[in-house]
Amino acid sequence: MVCNVRSRDGLCGALFRDVGRLTANLHSTFASLPQSNKFARRRRTIYRAGEPSNTVAIIHDGWASAYIQLPKGNRQILSFLLPGDITSAAAVFEDRSEVTIEAVTDVEYCVIDKHQLSEVLQAEPEVFNTFSKLWARRKNEIENLAADLGHRTAEERVARLILALYGRHAERDMIREGWFSFPLRLQHIADATGQTVVHVSRVLSSMRRQGVIELEERSLAVRDLAELRNIGGN
Amino acid sequence: MVCNVRSRDGLCGALFRDVGRLTANLHSTFASLPQSNKFARRRRTIYRAGEPSNTVAIIHDGWASAYIQLPKGNRQILSFLLPGDITSAAAVFEDRSEVTIEAVTDVEYCVIDKHQLSEVLQAEPEVFNTFSKLWARRKNEIENLAADLGHRTAEERVARLILALYGRHAERDMIREGWFSFPLRLQHIADATGQTVVHVSRVLSSMRRQGVIELEERSLAVRDLAELRNIGGN
DNA sequence: CGGAAACTTGATCGAATTCAAATAAGGTGG
DNA sequence: CCACCTTATTTGAATTCGATCAAGTTTCCG
């Protein structure tokens, strides 16, 4: 029902979406960095918060989540990582992170050494520029997430999450007849939008009943984009 | 009742707290950047979201807030800027920001040209390193804010805001007999913690009744730190 | 096929908002 | 310095959104 999310070949450089816009020359410089391919089963942890690590990962196939673990046992998902996404652009300058990365589906990814990446950054202003834009974008996303979590209703937050994922798939031309891959469990949506699984179920049911979305077999179709945006509150 | 928040002299370099740890040599390089001093009255906007700007500001005296404006008219305060803070370390690489900066009290600040700052960053690895740590810290703060807004109760969020401000003042040795400067209005606390003024009033009243804090004349004293931490839920 | 994980639905509860109104604090011009 | 007007804060009552509790159903996977 949905086109495969997987990308073309096994090279990190080719898959790292934000580097894809570099000139061919720099692109190959980047792609030539030593890298190793890895695999993580669904629900497995790719990076655990607090552990020292000298690599960053780039998702090759599948979805992952980046979250903060809260003391009570619940967690706040900060972002979903899709193929082509880097775990954290800022991680290049940290030796450890407070954010855990976990596979949502089975995930193929590759890891690059932070120091080598850092050297490319310093040597190549064009790459550096690409990265700094990435930081800025990610920063904006998190700031907007904070604003949403603080001030929007449960229904608005779910609608906006769907819209954001819809947008990311549309950008990548990965929507087919309205459908796109949506492997999230209710628990993921609950953790991302700061509510309970029970309530997420009710909100989604309501949206389906209104004919705004369809959701089945890990795929989602937006049937009434205008109304979904309306529910999202701007 | 509270020591003056104001710093020693008029030089941005000397005031920019995160640069203060550089070697004397680099410090003077930084301090010698062209800068101009400015003043903003309480409640005035220092930078409005969306406007192109080629400067970043460093707070010299007073408090400011950095917030995202939401369409409904309410806003999410992302951070409070105290003397020595830079408006946004990431702004160096953006020509505009989605975040508005507004004076909480009357504020003295100075502005530095982004491009000149950027050149220092590129030329001086030590300065660059300092800045990248700053980015990482600010990123962590916002991520934790998102987690708090998504998953903590109103009382916890207020307690944590007070603890964070208490901590920042303690670091700077600006607490005298338990008291520190606290010029926030209930509306600021409400906007920072994602709740209504009315409820903030109730939460603070409850904390005062319990003898956890005292709050008067724009100053706050933590009377039972252990209990405040307890309310904050670790 | 069987057990576990995921989802749904109903009933009840509670935290926080909303509405309303009174009091307090601050700032300004005369 | 007072009178006046605006901005803040407090408190109560009613309401609502979303959580919690509980149980049943469906889907998934080994």
Side-chain angles (χ1 to χ4, degrees):
Chain A
M1 180 163 275
V2 148
C3 65
N4 198 336
V5 183
R6 180 169 179 146
S7 304
R8 302 144 301 269
D9 59 68
L11 275 178
C12 280
L15 288 168
F16 183 19
R17 194 163 181 278
D18 298 282
V19 175
R21 301 193 195 100
L22 298 173
T23 61
N25 186 26
L26 283 174
H27 189 189
S28 63
T29 301
F30 188 89
S32 69
L33 281 176
Q35 51 192 246
S36 82
N37 291 307
K38 302 217 173 186
F39 179 79
R41 287 232 136 203
R42 153 183 142 76
R43 295 175 53 100
R44 285 283 185 286
T45 297
I46 293 174
Y47 168 79
R48 188 175 308 280
E51 284 177 357
S53 160
N54 42 31
T55 59
V56 294
I58 291 168
I59 306 297
H60 177 147
D61 187 36
W63 289 34
S65 66
Y67 66 85
I68 286 190
Q69 182 68 55
L70 286 142
K72 287 175 236 164
N74 47 6
R75 60 192 194 166
Q76 176 63 48
I77 293 182
L78 300 167
S79 61
F80 292 107
L81 306 177
L82 270 46
D85 287 341
I86 189 168
T87 47
S88 165
V92 179
F93 300 111
E94 302 171 292
D95 65 335
R96 67 192 67 195
S97 161
E98 290 185 26
V99 174
T100 299
I101 310 290
E102 186 179 293
V104 170
T105 62
D106 290 351
V107 165
E108 286 173 38
Y109 62 104
C110 67
V111 297
I112 301 182
D113 185 79
K114 279 179 192 176
H115 297 100
Q116 290 176 316
L117 182 50
S118 165
E119 273 164 30
V120 174
L121 284 180
Q122 279 164 44
E124 303 287 357
E126 197 186 338
V127 180
F128 182 83
N129 201 38
T130 303
F131 262 75
S132 56
K133 289 220 176 67
L134 237 191
W135 291 325
R137 199 188 322 152
R138 202 57 81 86
K139 177 177 137 314
N140 273 337
E141 284 169 7
I142 301 177
E143 287 171 345
N144 281 307
L145 175 66
D148 287 352
L149 290 169
H151 293 274
R152 292 187 182 273
T153 66
E155 197 173 36
E156 285 176 314
R157 299 197 303 254
V158 172
R160 297 173 77 81
L161 175 63
I162 294 173
L163 284 168
L165 291 168
Y166 175 83
R168 288 170 75 182
H169 281 78
E171 266 178 14
R172 296 168 195 213
D173 189 27
M174 278 167 48
I175 299 184
R176 293 288 171 270
E177 290 160 31
W179 291 92
F180 63 97
S181 171
F182 196 87
L184 302 182
R185 301 293 154 140
L186 295 195
Q187 188 65 59
H188 291 118
I189 302 175
D191 291 341
T193 58
Q195 56 199 290
T196 58
V197 178
V198 174
H199 200 242
V200 170
S201 171
R202 289 191 229 273
V203 169
L204 286 179
S205 297
S206 150
M207 286 180 181
R208 279 194 278 210
R209 223 176 308 114
Q210 291 175 62
V212 177
I213 58 167
E214 285 182 81
L215 178 55
E216 55 189 29
E217 294 172 44
R218 311 291 139 218
S219 290
L220 190 147
V222 176
R223 287 294 168 226
D224 188 343
L225 184 55
E227 179 58 16
L228 187 58
R229 289 205 173 113
N230 190 36
I231 293 171
N234 158 17
Chain B
M1 181 166 272
V2 147
C3 64
N4 198 336
V5 182
R6 181 172 179 145
S7 303
R8 301 147 299 270
D9 59 66
L11 274 177
C12 281
L15 289 169
F16 184 18
R17 193 162 180 278
D18 298 282
V19 175
R21 300 192 197 99
L22 298 173
T23 61
N25 187 25
L26 283 173
H27 189 187
S28 62
T29 300
F30 188 89
S32 69
L33 282 175
Q35 51 191 247
S36 82
N37 290 308
K38 302 217 174 186
F39 179 79
R41 286 230 137 203
R42 152 184 144 76
R43 295 176 54 98
R44 284 283 184 289
T45 296
I46 292 174
Y47 168 77
R48 188 176 309 281
E51 286 178 356
S53 160
N54 44 28
T55 59
V56 294
I58 292 167
I59 306 296
H60 177 147
D61 187 37
W63 289 35
S65 66
Y67 66 85
I68 287 190
Q69 182 69 54
L70 286 143
K72 286 176 238 164
N74 48 5
R75 60 192 194 168
Q76 175 64 48
I77 292 181
L78 300 166
S79 62
F80 291 106
L81 306 176
L82 271 44
D85 287 342
I86 191 169
T87 48
S88 164
V92 179
F93 301 110
E94 302 170 292
D95 65 335
R96 67 192 68 195
S97 162
E98 290 187 25
V99 175
T100 299
I101 311 290
E102 184 179 295
V104 169
T105 62
D106 290 351
V107 165
E108 286 172 38
Y109 63 103
C110 67
V111 297
I112 301 182
D113 185 79
K114 280 178 191 175
H115 296 101
Q116 290 177 316
L117 181 52
S118 165
E119 274 165 29
V120 174
L121 285 180
Q122 279 166 45
E124 303 286 356
E126 197 186 338
V127 179
F128 181 83
N129 201 39
T130 304
F131 261 74
S132 58
K133 290 219 176 67
L134 237 190
W135 291 325
R137 199 189 320 150
R138 202 56 81 84
K139 174 178 142 304
N140 273 335
E141 284 170 7
I142 300 178
E143 287 171 345
N144 281 307
L145 175 66
D148 287 351
L149 290 169
H151 294 275
R152 291 186 183 275
T153 65
E155 197 173 36
E156 285 177 313
R157 298 196 305 253
V158 171
R160 296 172 78 81
L161 174 62
I162 294 173
L163 284 168
L165 291 169
Y166 176 82
R168 288 170 76 184
H169 281 78
E171 266 179 10
R172 297 168 195 213
D173 190 28
M174 278 167 47
I175 298 183
R176 295 288 172 269
E177 289 159 31
W179 290 92
F180 65 97
S181 172
F182 196 87
L184 302 182
R185 302 290 152 138
L186 296 194
Q187 187 65 59
H188 291 119
I189 302 175
D191 290 341
T193 58
Q195 55 199 289
T196 57
V197 178
V198 174
H199 200 241
V200 170
S201 171
R202 289 191 231 274
V203 168
L204 286 178
S205 295
S206 149
M207 285 180 180
R208 280 193 278 211
R209 222 177 308 113
Q210 291 175 63
V212 177
I213 58 166
E214 284 181 81
L215 178 55
E216 56 189 29
E217 294 172 42
R218 311 290 138 219
S219 290
L220 190 150
V222 176
R223 287 295 167 225
D224 189 344
L225 185 56
E227 179 57 16
L228 187 58
R229 289 206 173 111
N230 191 36
I231 293 171
N234 165 344

